[in-house]
Amino acid sequence: MQHKKDKQKVPSGIKHFFKSDATHFVLGLIFLMFSVYAVIAIISFFFSGDADQSRIEGLSLFHWGRVGGIENWTGTRGAILSNILLNEGFGVATIFLLLFLSFTGLRLMKAKYVNLLKYFITCSVLTIWTSLAVSFFFGNFFKDTAIYIGGRHGLKLSEIMTLNLGIPGTFLIILLVFIVIMIFASAKTIPFVRKLFSSTPKIKKIKPEAADTQPTEKREPDLVKADSKPDNRKKTEESTIPKKPIDDFEVIIPKADEQEITSSNPSEKDEEIRPVPNVSSDYDDEEANNLLKELGVYDPTADLSKYQLPSVDLLKKYNQNDAQVDMTEQNNNKNRIIQTLENYGIKIKSIKATVGPTVTLYEIVPEDGIRIAKIRNLEDDIAMNLAALGIRIIAPMPGKGTIGIEVPNKDPQIVSMHSIISSRKYQESNYELPIALGRTITNEVFMVDLTKLPHLLVAGATGQGKSVGLNAAITSLLYKKHPAELKFVLIDPKMVEFTIYSAIEKHFLAKLPDAEKPIITDFTKVIYTLNSLTKEMDDRYELLEKAGSRNLKEYNAKFFNRRLNPLKGHKFMPYIVVIIDEFGDLIMTAGKEIEQPIARIAQKARAVGIHMIIATQRPTTNIITGTIKANFPARVAFRVISTVDSRTILDGQGANQLIGRGDMLFFQGSDMIRVQCAFVDTPEVERISKFISTQPSYPTAFMLPEYVGEESNKSMDDLDLSDRDPLFEEAAQLIVAHQQGSTSLIQRKFAIGYNRAGRLMDQLEIAGIVGPTQGSKPRDVYVLDEYQLRLKLDTMKS
């Protein structure tokens, strides 16, 4: 019987041996050392191959007899190995196979995480192509040596292709494969190739209008016109604009990045949770490793494993990719800019235009000795000459030796959310919380990682695109994150903007335990929710301290790898994004009771994965206070009316010079980037919400910790009506007149904080004027009219 048990233990021991970290590490180290040895042998073969060739000819790698006179640095084995790899194999292209072997070793050693399938395919393709290419281009240079530079594979393949396709055909095939490889390697390849084949207008000289000013200068052709026979109206208009002799005017029409319309299931992502060092853990290494082997890596998405990310087909596609640039408009704007500057004695060396979706950037290089401030002061004059709003001068352009002049296009293009979500930059981004806001002037997708900001302030006048910008931020997160990984707290005092997201309550929303609605609209609930978030923040910090982790990412990595014991309170923690649509209304109503928890969250919550986006249409100093600005370094400004409002948001002008309809400035630190916000319409958001709501969900929304206000800690017996609030009688009259027992009504009417309004309501309850609290519903009013109230108040005084 004992003998049988011993036999059963053997397979288990072998299985454990091959699965142990030590075995993997040693095997990976062997792979890495072999790769280094082989590279040294190959390098040495280039110097000693001719001398060693006759000595190793016919010998296999497993020949262990003595061979004298070997000059290869790695001895007989190295000489034979390098001959096999170089001459018998793929030549110098073998380096890619050794590179793959090295990465495999590093992966086994857990020194570096790589996607082995991706690297295998990449290295294999590069090996075959390089072997063919070097044989075709350089084979003849090595024909009298002992080296086949592309190996026998490259030599034979080159000969076969040359025989069947000729030299031109073989060259074109090699070039074609190279371009295909580069397309998959870099998103910039397709725009670059398109540019090679496109006829980008570039005019070196503009003919002068007045012969007396430049009598000896040779006249050059004017800019290419869109129509070879312009009508008389256009001709008259152009004749009034003097042509200035600028040596170089280049019009750049940036193309959108290559699009890949894909939406993969989160469970199919090519990712792996990397083990973390067991610095602080509830288990020792052996226990943790055993748990990991038995249960595997913890997967927070397992409860909703069949959840699918929304498809880009839910978003509207605008066919504007082929929109033509009006060269007449570009020409006229260029000439007017030159004319205006020369009217003030400012000459320029060159001018270049970059045409964006809604704005064109003209970059000028002034003559030597011109003061930048002189050009900056001409903003209004240039705007008047161009008859355009939204002119903005950037003097100087950051990182460039030019001055930028941004001019709105007459026919702006819509930047659709479809084009952003389906772009390669968004699809391949590895941001923790990716927020895709739109496109820059160079037509690049503009994205930020909310975890790096770590909070965002959005401001702009009514109707300038603020709400669309918030929807774009939410949409870009919904298209990337699984419900287990992200929760939203949506606060909407206007009660109209976020109700569309109520359908995804059980997937993505977080709320208080006693809240009836997932979207927070009541001022009282807003204060409770923000204070609940501060409690959630503190609770998370306690868990991080116990786990010895510095941030949420480190903590979750330990939890994934079974280093933390759930029985000790540890749990997976999702990111929480708090979005407040009209922050100004809250500040006006509750003041410090709103500002203080927001400031506290903004100061501390970054490390525990709680991030905020707050928005307001009233960017005044009593709304965006110094405390708020200090804790929200990243800001988005849509168009505002005055320079004062712009300075409040951006610490400088710029927002007052925007043209509206989603035109915005992103500001962080000293960088200010002009972006056209992506447009996502209400029907699109409805389709996304409906798609998510039809999928399996959690039983309830994500529950925030219950918050008990300071006044709630006191019982009714502790309250003394002899110490009534000075506003007690006025508050009673207000409640009776409105027949509504609402704390927020008292707040708004008397412009007091929530705590004081709560005390007043409790005193009214003791006095028998209102009934007890009923959750989110207003209290019942027991006094029906003013006469009955007066009798009750007189009785209380007697």
Side-chain angles (χ1 to χ4, degrees):
M1 194 72 176
Q2 183 65 36
H3 179 66
K4 226 180 230 187
K5 284 183 180 178
D6 291 341
K7 287 182 74 177
Q8 288 175 350
K9 287 181 181 177
V10 173
S12 176
I14 295 173
K15 185 178 179 181
H16 176 74
F17 173 77
F18 283 108
K19 284 191 172 183
S20 72
D21 282 343
T23 304
H24 290 173
F25 187 89
V26 172
L27 187 60
L29 192 61
I30 292 172
F31 284 179
L32 189 62
M33 293 302 177
F34 175 79
S35 301
V36 174
Y37 177 79
V39 169
I40 295 172
I42 289 173
I43 293 172
S44 178
F45 193 83
F46 278 92
F47 302 99
S48 60
D50 288 338
D52 291 343
Q53 189 71 16
S54 59
R55 296 182 178 89
I56 62 175
E57 191 172 359
L59 298 180
S60 73
L61 190 61
F62 303 102
H63 176 80
W64 289 97
R66 183 173 181 179
V67 179
I70 296 296
E71 296 183 13
N72 193 290
W73 304 334
T74 53
T76 305
R77 298 281 77 72
I80 298 172
L81 176 64
S82 58
N83 181 60
I84 293 172
L85 293 177
L86 269 176
N87 290 342
E88 304 299 327
F90 295 92
V92 293
T94 306
I95 197 71
F96 293 111
L97 297 180
L98 295 175
L99 185 65
F100 171 73
L101 191 63
S102 300
F103 279 120
T104 304
L106 291 172
R107 169 74 178 266
L108 287 169
M109 295 167 65
K110 295 181 180 176
K112 183 177 179 65
Y113 171 74
V114 292
N115 183 338
L116 290 182
L117 179 60
K118 180 180 177 182
Y119 269 78
F120 175 75
I121 294 172
T122 302
C123 291
S124 298
V125 171
L126 287 174
T127 300
I128 295 171
W129 180 85
T130 306
S131 174
L132 170 61
V134 296
S135 290
F136 178 76
F137 290 111
F138 306 109
N140 287 335
F141 295 102
F142 291 86
K143 63 182 180 181
D144 294 328
T145 68
I147 299 172
Y148 292 153
I149 191 67
R152 291 194 184 276
H153 166 270
L155 178 65
K156 294 296 182 184
L157 188 57
S158 176
E159 289 176 351
I160 293 171
M161 291 182 66
T162 305
L163 181 64
N164 288 275
L165 301 174
I167 292 177
T170 304
F171 172 78
L172 290 174
I173 291 294
I174 292 173
L175 179 62
L176 173 64
V177 175
F178 174 74
I179 294 173
V180 171
I181 291 172
M182 292 306 299
I183 286 173
F184 286 98
S186 172
K188 297 180 180 179
T189 303
I190 290 181
F192 176 78
V193 176
R194 281 177 179 157
K195 187 176 180 181
L196 290 179
F197 291 101
S198 65
S199 54
T200 304
K202 186 171 181 179
I203 304 301
K204 289 296 181 185
K205 290 189 179 180
I206 311 298
K207 66 177 182 179
E209 187 71 8
D212 56 342
T213 58
Q214 301 281 347
T216 60
E217 179 148 5
K218 183 178 177 181
R219 291 178 178 267
E220 296 288 344
D222 201 355
L223 279 169
V224 179
K225 302 295 189 296
D227 189 350
S228 59
K229 294 181 180 180
D231 57 32
N232 292 331
R233 180 180 57 79
K234 280 190 178 179
K235 189 180 290 184
T236 303
E237 179 185 348
E238 291 168 15
S239 65
T240 63
I241 305 170
K243 312 297 191 296
K244 301 297 176 183
I246 299 300
D247 291 336
D248 187 21
F249 177 50
E250 181 182 0
V251 178
I252 299 174
I253 307 169
K255 300 292 183 182
D257 63 344
E258 180 66 13
Q259 295 179 354
E260 285 189 350
I261 303 178
T262 57
S263 288
S264 59
N265 185 346
S267 62
E268 297 172 357
K269 287 182 182 176
D270 189 17
E271 295 179 356
E272 179 179 294
I273 304 297
R274 294 175 59 184
V276 296
N278 195 13
V279 177
S280 178
S281 171
D282 295 334
Y283 306 105
D284 59 38
D285 284 338
E286 185 176 355
E287 287 177 320
N289 289 333
N290 289 338
L291 278 172
L292 197 60
K293 289 170 188 174
E294 181 182 350
L295 302 175
V297 173
Y298 175 78
D299 181 10
T301 68
D303 291 339
L304 300 182
S305 59
K306 295 184 179 179
Y307 176 83
Q308 296 288 328
L309 291 174
S311 165
V312 291
D313 296 333
L314 300 171
L315 298 168
K316 185 176 179 180
K317 188 174 184 179
Y318 296 84
N319 296 318
Q320 297 190 113
N321 293 332
D322 297 328
Q324 297 297 316
V325 172
D326 187 348
M327 290 306 302
T328 302
E329 177 190 351
Q330 301 303 323
N331 226 0
N332 291 343
N333 286 347
K334 179 262 305 181
N335 289 328
R336 287 189 178 108
I337 290 171
I338 296 171
Q339 178 188 12
T340 304
L341 293 175
E342 290 201 352
N343 286 344
Y344 290 89
I346 298 172
K347 293 185 179 181
I348 61 176
K349 294 178 181 178
S350 65
I351 182 169
K352 178 177 72 173
T354 303
V355 184
T358 56
V359 174
T360 296
L361 172 65
Y362 295 89
E363 291 183 67
I364 63 172
V365 178
E367 293 283 357
D368 296 339
I370 301 295
R371 294 177 66 240
I372 290 177
K374 191 174 182 181
I375 299 176
R376 192 186 292 120
N377 293 333
L378 296 177
E379 205 162 56
D380 294 336
D381 300 275
I382 295 173
M384 183 179 69
N385 277 8
L386 293 175
L389 296 172
I391 301 293
R392 195 170 77 101
I393 292 181
I394 311 166
M397 292 282 291
K400 298 182 180 181
T402 61
I403 294 172
I405 302 175
E406 294 175 345
V407 181
N409 298 334
K410 288 182 179 178
D411 298 313
Q413 296 183 33
I414 294 175
V415 175
S416 67
M417 199 68 201
H418 182 284
S419 69
I420 302 297
I421 297 298
S422 61
S423 68
R424 173 172 289 183
K425 183 173 182 178
Y426 176 83
Q427 292 289 335
E428 295 181 354
S429 73
N430 57 0
Y431 290 166
E432 290 292 323
L433 293 177
I435 294 182
L437 293 173
R439 290 188 183 274
T440 63
I441 289 177
T442 57
N443 224 7
E444 295 179 8
V445 173
F446 182 77
M447 291 178 59
V448 292
D449 188 347
L450 186 58
T451 61
K452 300 293 191 296
L453 295 182
H455 310 287
L456 183 63
L457 170 64
V458 181
T462 304
Q464 303 305 316
K466 176 174 55 65
S467 295
V468 173
L470 293 179
N471 283 328
I474 295 172
T475 299
S476 56
L477 289 170
L478 291 176
Y479 267 86
K480 271 288 187 182
K481 308 304 287 184
H482 186 278
E485 302 170 318
L486 172 66
K487 301 299 175 184
F488 290 101
V489 174
L490 300 181
I491 298 174
D492 182 15
K494 294 191 292 187
M495 295 184 268
V496 293
E497 295 296 342
F498 290 152
T499 53
I500 199 168
Y501 296 106
S502 297
I504 62 173
E505 172 187 355
K506 295 180 180 179
H507 294 84
F508 282 102
L509 300 190
K511 65 177 185 179
L512 292 171
D514 62 341
E516 295 180 3
K517 298 178 181 178
I519 311 300
I520 301 115
T521 58
D522 181 76
F523 288 93
T524 304
K525 292 296 183 184
V526 172
I527 295 172
Y528 274 31
T529 301
L530 291 175
N531 282 286
S532 172
L533 284 165
T534 63
K535 188 175 187 306
E536 172 75 13
M537 176 183 73
D538 293 336
D539 292 345
R540 289 187 171 201
Y541 266 113
E542 287 182 12
L543 291 177
L544 260 65
E545 184 181 8
K546 290 179 182 177
S549 301
R550 295 174 300 172
N551 53 53
L552 183 75
K553 193 172 182 179
E554 286 185 10
Y555 175 89
N556 282 339
K558 287 184 178 181
F559 193 81
F560 291 148
N561 288 279
R562 310 289 180 179
R563 302 283 179 179
L564 304 175
N565 189 349
L567 297 178
K568 294 184 179 180
H570 290 293
K571 59 185 178 180
F572 168 76
M573 294 187 287
Y575 284 104
I576 298 177
V577 177
V578 185
I579 304 180
I580 305 175
D581 182 37
E582 189 39 69
F583 170 69
D585 285 353
L586 300 176
I587 290 291
M588 294 296 290
T589 303
K592 293 293 183 182
E593 290 174 281
I594 290 289
E595 185 179 356
Q596 286 175 355
I598 286 178
R600 188 159 181 262
I601 293 169
Q603 287 168 353
K604 290 186 60 180
R606 171 183 186 171
V608 292
I610 302 176
H611 304 273
M612 301 191 76
I613 302 175
I614 64 174
T616 181
Q617 62 187 13
R618 289 183 285 189
T620 55
T621 51
N622 61 331
I623 301 296
I624 303 177
T625 62
T627 302
I628 294 297
K629 289 177 70 173
N631 292 291
F632 286 79
R635 303 165 204 163
V636 166
F638 291 90
R639 186 170 183 262
V640 295
I641 304 303
S642 67
T643 305
V644 174
D645 289 348
S646 178
R647 291 186 186 280
T648 302
I649 309 167
L650 302 174
D651 300 327
Q653 64 178 6
N656 57 309
Q657 299 161 322
L658 301 175
I659 60 176
R661 298 177 63 85
D663 189 18
M664 70 182 212
L665 290 170
F666 177 83
F667 172 79
Q668 186 177 22
S670 59
D671 296 331
M672 197 178 296
I673 303 169
R674 194 165 186 173
V675 179
Q676 178 60 39
C677 183
F679 179 69
V680 54
D681 207 357
T682 301
E684 296 174 84
V685 179
E686 287 177 343
R687 289 195 293 269
I688 295 168
S689 296
K690 185 178 180 181
F691 174 84
I692 294 173
S693 66
T694 57
Q695 299 193 61
S697 67
Y698 296 106
T700 64
F702 182 85
M703 291 301 169
L704 297 172
E706 185 175 358
Y707 171 73
V708 180
E710 293 178 6
E711 297 304 317
S712 300
N713 292 329
K714 297 181 180 179
S715 66
M716 287 297 170
D717 297 333
D718 296 330
L719 295 173
D720 184 5
L721 278 180
S722 62
D723 187 24
R724 294 194 296 265
D725 191 285
L727 292 174
F728 177 79
E729 290 192 15
E730 294 179 60
Q733 292 168 359
L734 176 69
I735 293 298
V736 171
H738 286 80
Q739 286 295 298
Q740 181 183 2
S742 169
T743 305
S744 59
L745 176 64
I746 296 176
Q747 282 183 268
R748 291 195 298 271
K749 180 65 177 178
F750 300 112
I752 60 176
Y754 174 78
N755 287 340
R756 186 179 179 187
R759 283 196 300 271
L760 277 166
M761 189 59 72
D762 290 339
Q763 290 174 2
L764 292 171
E765 180 183 349
I766 294 175
I769 297 172
V770 298
T773 181
Q774 303 181 75
S776 61
K777 295 179 182 180
R779 298 175 185 235
D780 292 332
V781 181
Y782 294 157
V783 178
L784 301 179
D785 53 35
E786 183 72 22
Y787 176 74
Q788 188 178 351
L789 175 63
R790 180 52 52 195
L791 290 175
K792 183 174 279 294
L793 292 175
D794 290 342
T795 303
M796 291 172 60
K797 291 177 182 177
S798 60

